[in-house]
Amino acid sequence: MLRAPGRPLAAFLRFAIAARLAIAARTMAAGPTVSLPELRSLLASGRARLFDVRSREEAAAGTIPGALNIPVSELESALQMEPAAFQALYSAEKPKLDDENLVFFCQMGRRGFQATQLAQSLGYTGARNYAGAYQEWSEKAG
């Protein structure tokens, strides 16, 4: 006997959606991240390369000192460039696939997370996300 959809189905759908969101949040949080104290330490020792993946306008208004601005919209093509082309366009050495502590950040965390995932998918094993992002830096460290 078939039953018409009702409250049990709606409750199940709410549960399924909540479960998916919880899994996504755990996956995002479990990724390779850098905390503010760790970032400070890495920067003080010169062991991190910072990539600001916000727009050029956002980065021009303020960024973490030493960060290279590559908007997330052009990051994939930038990371696939020949080293000489990368150097010419960004006035910086292109990161190597096995470089450690390639730290990506944005304003609030989402684009930095996307950039980290993208870099990892291209083989950059040391890609990490500064989850606190520029917002935390400007409030606590800047």
Side-chain angles (χ1 to χ4, degrees):
M1 170 181 229
L2 294 175
R3 291 179 23 170
R7 287 189 180 153
L9 179 60
F12 172 77
L13 290 174
R14 281 193 303 276
F15 172 77
I17 290 169
R20 280 199 154 201
L21 290 173
I23 290 168
R26 279 196 305 274
T27 301
M28 188 169 171
T33 60
V34 177
S35 66
L36 179 58
E38 185 179 10
L39 180 62
R40 285 180 175 151
S41 175
L42 289 170
L43 292 173
S45 65
R47 295 181 298 128
R49 284 194 64 186
L50 282 177
F51 297 89
D52 184 341
V53 298
R54 299 175 299 154
S55 70
R56 284 182 172 65
E57 296 77 21
E58 287 174 292
T63 191
I64 299 173
L68 176 62
N69 178 231
I70 304 177
V72 72
S73 61
E74 55 185 75
L75 184 64
E76 183 171 10
S77 62
L79 293 178
Q80 293 177 329
M81 287 179 175
E82 291 297 321
F86 187 96
Q87 175 75 39
L89 186 59
Y90 297 107
S91 300
E93 182 182 343
K94 180 183 174 192
K96 294 170 185 60
L97 293 175
D98 61 350
D99 282 351
E100 294 183 7
N101 300 313
L102 301 175
V103 180
F104 297 88
F105 71 93
C106 61
Q107 184 65 31
M108 297 179 67
R110 183 180 178 117
R111 288 173 289 175
F113 174 72
Q114 291 170 335
T116 302
Q117 286 188 314
L118 173 66
Q120 288 174 334
S121 75
L122 293 173
Y124 289 88
T125 57
R128 302 175 72 187
N129 178 33
Y130 171 36
Y134 186 68
Q135 182 175 7
E136 179 182 55
W137 179 269
S138 64
E139 291 171 0
K140 297 182 179 176

